[in-house]
Amino acid sequence: MKTQSTQLLIIGGGPGGYVAAIRAAQLGIETTLIEGAELGGTCLNIGCIPSKALIHAADEFAKVREFSGESALGIHSSAPVIDIGKTVHWKDGIVGKLTGGVGALLKKNKVAVIHGWATIVDGKTVDVKTADETLRISCRHLLLAAGSLPVELPFMPFGGPVISSTEALSPAVLPKKMVVVGGGYIGLELGTAYRKLGVEVSVVEAVDRILPAYDAELTKPVAAALKRLGVALHLGCTVQGLNAAATAVRIKNGEGVESELAADQVLVAVGRKPRTAGWGLESLHLDMDGRCVRVDDQCRTSMTDVWAIGDMTGEPMLAHRGMAQGEMVAEIISGKRRHFQPLAMPAVCFTDPEVVVVGLSPDQAAQQDCLSASFPFAANGRSMTIESTDGFVRVVARRDNHLILGWQAVGRGVSELSAAFAQSIEMGATLEDIAGTVHAHPTLGEAVQEAALRALGHALHI
Ligand code: FAD
Ligand code: NAD
């Protein structure tokens, strides 16, 4: 068997692994990255980017469809058609550009990339099966960045009409009726997109409200918008399986009453699990947190010089978290003192309207003496001009010194406010800092300033 050695060996070329590789190489660390599928991982190939591309295409289609009816704007068009094959091709083009870009960045930084599946031999040795051979690579540091996989329902496994987000992002044809199991991130982002593409969509969610990870007030505008769109919500319901003909999903509500939802496709989106089995990881006997690899605040595992980042290390399973961890691990290995202790970890759900949370919600801050205030987009001029007045911005701050602890927002386009929210928290801004900053007019950002002003008791436009 051919052997090689390297200083840092990274398993997984997703956002966690490839960012770690680039930063390590920038710092002069000899780095090898192993990727079994495609560079860019879940995020670029079958996650963040393709889903946002499909959501955009669905938004555009829905907009033109709206104009084929009565429009207050005075715009009228004939009924549009969608060639979903062409849409998928366009989406794949974006994915190709980005994954190609990651390859080019790795090459530019002199990271050795090996395309093949890795199997762990021990904490310093990994075998890689490439298309032509098996290599044995020894390393000083081993970084685990193998990501996650969709959770399967044992009684309704993936296959046939039952699909995961991966298949939902590359439809050959659109189904007529889709049942979405899970009213979380994927279920609602893709469920909304499919509905806008003309598919009849029903969402079955085990908890009695959608997006249960967020506070209820924040998700109300999303629930209202889903209703307007015609998405049927079956909340507090459990899925029992497919009917015998595989033409419907059997569900049971809170009272135990069973019913069937007709479907020619079923998207199961009930969470993701860390990819920790099937490639020898078990042989390291690392300390685990359930199915996730346990790491400390430097992403060290329980074995010396074995590190883990990204989805393998548990919630929140977000691309930017994996990237930030990867960058930090590279810096620690290079000798810098770093800890992963972000005050602000933004999370965005790209529904329509979008939802953003950064830092503490009022409930999470309840033990501290806090105040919170919100400003509705109904009172924001820019929101009116883009026909989107649903939603609000909310700020949470300490009562004594007005230090900002959290922001939440729901509304069209609020994902772009996440940068301002995270920066204000990381920089230790107070309500007065935000209230005293001149915000451009007319922008959604004015609602951020007004929320801070309102918390101080003197909002101007409400
Ligand atoms: P991954 O991206 O999963 O990468 C791991 C890589 O390791 C994979 O390429 C895999 O092939 C490779 N690998 C695994 N095992 C081996 C092995 N033994 N040998 C060689 N290679 C191996 N997050 C956001 O922040 N924003 C979003 O908008 C967003 N949207 C999403 C939409 C969908 C539909 C999905 C499914 C996820 C979304 N996410 C989003 C989550 C995001 O994709 C993940 O958090 C992120 O990709 C995790 O990065 P990672 O590097 O930990 O792992
Ligand atoms: P999720 O955890 O967001 O939502 C899963 C939902 O399914 C939950 O509401 C849960 O109550 C429900 N559920 C669980 N079991 C069920 C059952 N048997 N029947 C009915 N409902 C059930 O998970 P997801 O939507 O699969 O997404 C996986 C992860 O991917 C997310 O947690 C997130 O980390 C990441 N992601 C992020 C984004 C983003 O950042 N915009 C987008 C997509 C995915």
Side-chain angles (χ1 to χ4, degrees), residues 1-196:
M1 192 189 292
K2 244 192 181 166
T3 57
Q4 286 182 16
S5 69
T6 186
Q7 206 176 343
L8 169 62
L9 181 60
I10 302 173
I11 300 180
Y18 87 72
V19 166
I22 291 173
R23 186 66 187 125
Q26 283 174 347
L27 291 162
I29 300 166
E30 183 196 18
T31 303
T32 300
L33 182 145
I34 307 170
E35 172 53 60
E38 303 292 336
L39 289 173
T42 303
C43 172
L44 295 194
N45 294 283
I46 50 168
C48 326
I49 294 295
S51 61
K52 271 74 236 181
L54 195 69
I55 288 167
H56 173 70
D59 283 348
E60 296 300 281
F61 183 63
K63 199 187 284 172
V64 186
R65 273 200 348 166
E66 229 174 270
F67 291 143
S68 61
E70 276 301 307
S71 155
L73 274 66
I75 302 172
H76 186 80
S77 75
S78 51
V81 286
I82 185 154
D83 176 346
I84 195 70
K86 213 167 167 183
T87 310
V88 170
H89 181 72
W90 165 78
K91 178 266 296 178
D92 288 343
I94 296 170
V95 169
K97 267 189 208 139
L98 289 170
T99 54
V102 168
L105 286 170
L106 291 167
K107 194 169 171 193
K108 185 182 113 184
N109 285 287
K110 302 198 173 39
V111 175
V113 175
I114 299 177
H115 293 278
W117 290 99
T119 304
I120 288 179
V121 178
D122 59 40
K124 300 264 179 229
T125 322
V126 169
D127 284 350
V128 192
K129 203 168 175 328
T130 70
D132 329 298
E133 58 185 349
T134 300
L135 291 171
R136 177 154 290 188
I137 307 178
S138 58
C139 59
R140 165 86 203 279
H141 294 274
L142 178 60
L143 174 54
L144 311 171
S148 62
L149 295 166
V151 169
E152 196 168 44
L153 293 172
F155 52 85
M156 207 166 64
F158 294 124
V162 182
I163 60 169
S164 73
S165 52
T166 304
E167 294 75 36
L169 290 169
S170 292
V173 284
L174 289 170
K176 282 204 164 50
K177 293 176 193 234
M178 174 182 264
V179 168
V180 176
V181 184
Y185 278 96
I186 294 177
L188 293 190
E189 287 188 1
L190 295 185
T192 303
Y194 267 72
R195 180 67 198 123
K196 288 185 177 179

Side-chain angles (χ1 to χ4, degrees), residues 181-182 184-186 189 204-206 212 269-272 317-318 348 350:
V181 184
Y185 278 96
I186 294 177
E189 287 188 1
V204 184
E205 165 56 52
V270 294
R272 292 181 64 85
M317 291 191 187
L318 297 172
V348 178
F350 291 83

Side-chain angles (χ1 to χ4, degrees), residues 301-322:
T301 69
S302 53
M303 186 177 270
T304 307
D305 293 339
V306 177
W307 313 72
I309 56 172
D311 284 9
M312 298 187 63
T313 62
E315 298 289 345
M317 291 191 187
L318 297 172
H320 42 278
R321 171 173 168 269

Side-chain angles (χ1 to χ4, degrees), residues 20 143 298-299 307-309 324-334:
L143 174 54
Q298 293 189 308
C299 291
W307 313 72
I309 56 172
Q325 289 176 322
E327 191 227 14
M328 176 196 72
V329 169
E331 297 206 345
I332 295 172
I333 291 174
S334 81

